[in-house]
Amino acid sequence: MSTIVDVVVNAMEQLCLMLGIGLDRAAIDKLLEPLADDIQLAYTHWVAFP
């Protein structure tokens, strides 16, 4: 099962492909790495357990 962070990375990867931005999955993952805990916390707090 993928985490919400994986879902966000996948969505950003697709958006970059559609917009023609040259960021691959590894670059996006590296950019979001500092925010991973915050993304997971926000998802848990606002979506999974409102």
Side-chain angles (χ1 to χ4, degrees), residues 1-48:
M1 182 189 309
S2 61
T3 66
I4 187 62
V5 177
D6 294 330
V7 172
V8 171
V9 170
N10 288 338
M12 286 189 69
E13 183 181 26
Q14 292 302 314
L15 181 62
C16 287
L17 285 172
M18 289 188 314
L19 296 176
I21 299 171
L23 289 176
D24 61 351
R25 182 174 180 80
I28 295 168
D29 200 29
K30 189 169 182 99
L31 284 171
L32 289 180
E33 188 176 350
L35 300 173
D37 290 337
D38 294 331
I39 293 168
Q40 186 65 48
L41 181 64
Y43 173 76
T44 302
H45 183 71
W46 294 105
V47 178

